[in-house]
Amino acid sequence: MEKRWVLTSNCNDDTVKNIAEQLNIDQSLAQILVQRNICNFDQAKHFFRPEIAHLHDPFLMKDMDLAIERIETALANHEKILIYGDYDVDGTTSVALAYSFFAQLTTSIEYYIPDRYLEGYGISTTGIDYAKQNGFSLIIALDCGIKSIDKVDYANELGIDFIICDHHLPGDDLPAAVAVLDPKRDDCGYPFKELAGCGIGFKLAQAYAQKHHLKPETYLQYLDLVMVSIAADIVPVVGENRILAYYGLRKLNSNPCEGLRALMEVSGKTENYTITDVVFTLGPRINAAGRIDHAKHAVAMLLCQVDSNSLEQSEMINLKNTERKTYDQDITREALALIGDSEVLINRKTTVVFNENWHKGVIGIVASRLTEKYYRPTIVLTKSNGHVAGSCRSVIGFDLYEALSGCANLLDQYGGHKFAAGLTMQEQNVTAFADKFEEIVSASITEEQLTPMIKIDAEIDLSQIDGKFYRVLAQMGPFGPENMAPVFVSHNVYLDRAAMAVGANHLKINVKQQNSPTFEGIAFGLAEFQNILQPKVPFSVCYTLEENVWREKRRLQLNIKGIKVN
């Protein structure tokens, strides 16, 4: 599917010129900074030199004082504390962080992860009953709970207090917990609203340590866990998240916790991790535990100590990831066939597919694959515990959650955000839901939104790229949502030698412009251009710039996102 190339609007020339002069950098790089609202020297200094000291005071978060007071009471009275979290990467890292931190202060502590298939997402009655039967009087819930009003009421009836640490959007009412920590609360004045669930857990630990004058290392040692959650949960890598990710990556690459170290070892990549590496290497493996078996195994691995069975735990999770890949590939193939065999599905502006035998643990991944293929709002449904469960993915600029709200009368429950969501419904509603969803989306989605886009940050000549250019560019990381790796476009480039197809569907090329060095380029999924690109025929490329390390030799490489023949 051909993609739109959209060049970001030019910024104020004087501002760009001033930043370039003050920082002694290329004007194209200065332009990218200004596009990201870095418009003066002080802002640039904070951006290029993140500091732990720049983290916000955790007590600026609404209810933080109440949460700390309740924990203090529990510790003083030797109450049993249950750390409760979701089964995805954000949830399991949150639980590992909170459990590890408070286990430094008490032995009356355990953790609980709900079963994806038996209990479903969020706080469950089964989990609360477990707490009651085992004498827990305080539950600290992480990465879930903001909409669990009835569950918290049930716990209150049993004499169990809740502290909610969540980052999802609240409903009209909040649970009747002792404390509800969520920057997205309307009445919360916390300066940064986009922390991951593990980030909220980190702020809780920071607050306790700050009040009790504990050494910063008591909570900073978990920055690698926070960074993994930021990467895997696809939250904006700006503001406080960028500071946490920056130092979390440093810790992962120098002194990771034992569980992550072992997981890196079995994954085959043990150094030089970026956010992207975490997303595609560590994240799926941690997620696989909950998708295929039980996420408690992921927490057990993350809690492993040195000289423990960390390698055994990580190998087991790696095997679960291999199993997950098999399900993923088989279901994706079946779903694509289902769409390809239906003229109705092919011509719709949405994709809704259902098979009662598909594995619930991988339907979210399949939904992402189908969205990549057809680029339209997509929902994959399967049967689970007597009802139909679905995972939903959207396209840039289209509010999926709002569209689902228009189908609420056909759903038992739904939750999520603009770009990803989950839902449940009765099987008899599947056809009516698919039709209603198509009707709502068709009425509001634009043709532009149905066409994938490559957002280009700057047009440059290849001659601008040198070692200094790349060093400045690399310092703009860690990259992620709202601070993506800059995409450049260069026009009138030529092949330096014949293009070569590599791998399944990739293209390796060497390109240059007049008076520029030759650069190697890798174009994933673009092997179709092998016979289109010819020597002496100019073309345009858009790309990110990366450093390729091979046998200890480093060279700059273009990671090509798109090609257009002039």
Side-chain angles (χ1 to χ4, degrees):
M1 182 181 293
E2 188 173 349
K3 297 180 179 180
R4 293 180 291 133
W5 293 17
V6 179
L7 182 63
T8 303
S9 301
N10 287 332
C11 306
N12 181 283
D13 289 342
D14 289 338
T15 305
V16 172
K17 184 179 179 181
N18 287 338
I19 283 286
E21 290 176 352
Q22 289 175 14
L23 301 180
N24 188 27
I25 61 174
D26 185 284
Q27 284 216 171
S28 297
L29 296 175
Q31 176 182 317
I32 291 168
L33 290 176
V34 176
Q35 288 168 357
R36 299 178 190 209
N37 297 315
I38 300 161
C39 300
N40 59 52
F41 181 84
D42 287 340
Q43 290 173 337
K45 182 180 177 182
H46 275 246
F47 181 73
F48 283 114
R49 300 289 183 268
E51 297 289 344
I52 291 294
H54 297 158
L55 294 176
H56 301 302
D57 181 350
F59 285 99
L60 294 175
M61 197 175 295
K62 180 74 172 177
D63 282 3
M64 184 62 80
D65 54 342
L66 299 177
I68 297 303
E69 287 171 10
R70 181 64 186 89
I71 292 170
E72 289 170 335
T73 299
L75 294 174
N77 296 332
H78 304 290
E79 295 179 53
K80 293 185 71 176
I81 301 173
L82 187 65
I83 307 296
Y84 189 112
D86 190 25
Y87 40 66
D88 66 1
V89 176
D90 193 15
T92 51
T93 53
S94 298
V95 167
L97 184 153
Y99 176 87
S100 296
F101 177 80
F102 289 109
Q104 299 175 87
L105 308 170
T106 179
T107 57
S108 299
I109 187 168
E110 291 183 22
Y111 63 86
Y112 186 95
I113 304 287
D115 186 291
R116 178 190 289 264
Y117 304 104
L118 299 178
E119 298 170 69
Y121 168 77
I123 296 166
S124 69
T125 302
T126 302
I128 295 170
D129 288 341
Y130 173 87
K132 180 63 177 177
Q133 292 160 10
N134 290 276
F136 292 94
S137 53
L138 175 62
I139 298 177
I140 301 176
L142 298 121
D143 191 35
C144 61
I146 196 64
K147 291 187 176 180
S148 300
I149 293 172
D150 57 336
K151 301 298 192 300
V152 173
D153 287 344
Y154 176 60
N156 288 335
E157 292 172 7
L158 298 178
I160 300 172
D161 287 338
F162 257 96
I163 293 172
I164 304 291
C165 304
D166 205 350
H167 68 124
H168 296 100
L169 195 65
D172 294 333
D173 299 310
L174 296 175
V178 171
V180 178
L181 307 179
D182 189 336
K184 292 188 176 74
R185 287 177 58 167
D186 288 337
D187 59 350
C188 182
Y190 193 74
F192 186 69
K193 303 295 184 182
E194 300 298 336
L195 291 166
C198 191
I200 308 294
F202 176 85
K203 301 306 291 189
L204 181 68
Q206 182 190 8
Y208 187 93
Q210 184 175 305
K211 184 175 180 182
H212 291 270
H213 308 292
L214 302 180
K215 292 180 179 180
E217 181 56 28
T218 58
Y219 60 93
L220 294 179
Q221 64 181 305
Y222 307 117
L223 281 169
D224 48 357
L225 295 176
V226 181
M227 180 277 303
V228 169
S229 78
I230 288 169
D233 223 51
I234 320 296
V235 293
V237 186
V238 295
E240 201 163 34
N241 277 345
R242 187 164 177 273
I243 298 170
L244 295 169
Y246 177 86
Y247 284 97
L249 274 173
R250 279 178 50 168
K251 186 174 188 304
L252 185 77
N253 284 311
S254 62
N255 182 33
C257 72
E258 179 62 17
L260 289 177
R261 185 204 62 75
L263 192 61
M264 292 160 71
E265 186 175 332
V266 300
S267 75
K269 180 176 174 62
T270 57
E271 57 185 9
N272 298 321
Y273 269 77
T274 65
I275 289 283
T276 300
D277 294 325
V278 174
V279 170
F280 291 104
T281 304
L282 301 183
R285 286 171 168 80
I286 297 172
N287 253 335
R291 293 184 187 279
I292 303 302
D293 190 352
H294 200 294
K296 64 184 180 184
H297 300 305
V299 178
M301 178 199 68
L302 294 172
L303 293 176
C304 282
Q305 301 298 311
V306 178
D307 299 327
S308 67
N309 62 339
S310 58
L311 196 57
E312 180 183 332
Q313 289 278 359
S314 61
E315 285 173 343
M316 179 183 69
I317 284 178
N318 201 45
L319 285 173
K320 296 297 179 187
N321 188 53
T322 301
E323 188 177 347
R324 185 272 305 167
K325 286 181 182 178
T326 301
Y327 284 122
D328 167 12
Q329 293 165 358
D330 290 346
I331 295 171
T332 298
R333 187 165 51 250
E334 291 173 14
L336 288 172
L338 200 62
I339 298 166
D341 291 342
S342 170
E343 190 173 339
V344 172
L345 290 178
I346 282 287
N347 293 317
R348 284 192 161 189
K349 294 185 176 179
T350 62
T351 297
V352 180
V353 287
F354 170 56
N355 183 316
E356 65 177 25
N357 296 316
W358 286 341
H359 196 293
K360 183 186 174 188
V362 300
I363 58 174
I365 300 171
V366 175
S368 295
R369 303 247 192 269
L370 298 184
T371 305
E372 289 172 11
K373 171 70 175 176
Y374 290 102
Y375 205 73
R376 58 197 187 190
T378 298
I379 301 176
V380 179
L381 304 167
T382 190
K383 198 83 172 285
S384 177
N385 290 335
H387 59 252
V388 171
S391 195
C392 322
R393 297 293 183 270
S394 192
V395 294
I396 294 172
F398 185 78
D399 192 332
L400 174 69
Y401 188 85
E402 186 177 334
L404 291 177
S405 298
C407 307
N409 63 311
L410 295 168
L411 302 174
D412 293 343
Q413 58 183 13
Y414 65 98
H417 49 79
K418 286 184 178 181
F419 301 118
L423 57 80
T424 59
M425 72 179 87
Q426 299 304 309
E427 187 171 356
Q428 62 265 28
N429 289 339
V430 169
T431 301
F433 168 79
D435 292 341
K436 182 69 173 177
F437 186 65
E438 169 70 14
E439 176 188 332
I440 289 172
V441 172
S442 295
S444 55
I445 200 165
T446 67
E447 287 304 316
E448 270 198 350
Q449 290 170 333
L450 289 167
T451 306
M453 174 184 72
I454 300 175
K455 182 181 176 183
I456 299 169
D457 295 88
E459 177 183 337
I460 66 172
D461 292 329
L462 294 179
S463 58
Q464 291 175 245
I465 301 171
D466 58 16
K468 179 183 176 182
F469 186 97
Y470 179 74
R471 285 193 298 274
V472 175
L473 183 69
Q475 289 179 65
M476 292 184 183
F479 297 117
E482 297 188 23
N483 186 45
M484 299 298 289
V487 176
F488 302 101
V489 63
S490 296
H491 299 298
N492 295 316
V493 304
Y494 296 84
L495 288 181
D496 189 52
R497 67 192 69 168
M500 181 173 63
V502 294
N505 186 32
H506 314 311
L507 191 68
K508 194 171 184 179
I509 60 177
N510 288 270
V511 297
K512 65 177 299 182
Q513 284 173 311
Q514 190 174 13
N515 301 321
S516 84
T518 297
F519 287 90
E520 290 185 1
I522 182 69
F524 294 105
L526 295 176
E528 65 199 77
F529 283 94
Q530 182 182 12
N531 296 321
I532 297 174
L533 301 180
Q534 298 296 327
K536 299 184 180 180
V537 176
F539 60 99
S540 300
V541 288
C542 59
Y543 54 90
T544 57
L545 192 61
E546 60 190 23
E547 192 174 50
N548 186 19
V549 182
W550 175 249
R551 294 181 178 175
E552 300 184 359
K553 290 185 178 180
R554 298 174 180 270
R555 60 181 181 274
L556 296 180
Q557 174 178 274
L558 312 184
N559 187 326
I560 295 170
K561 307 298 180 181
I563 298 172
K564 286 185 179 179
V565 178
N566 296 353

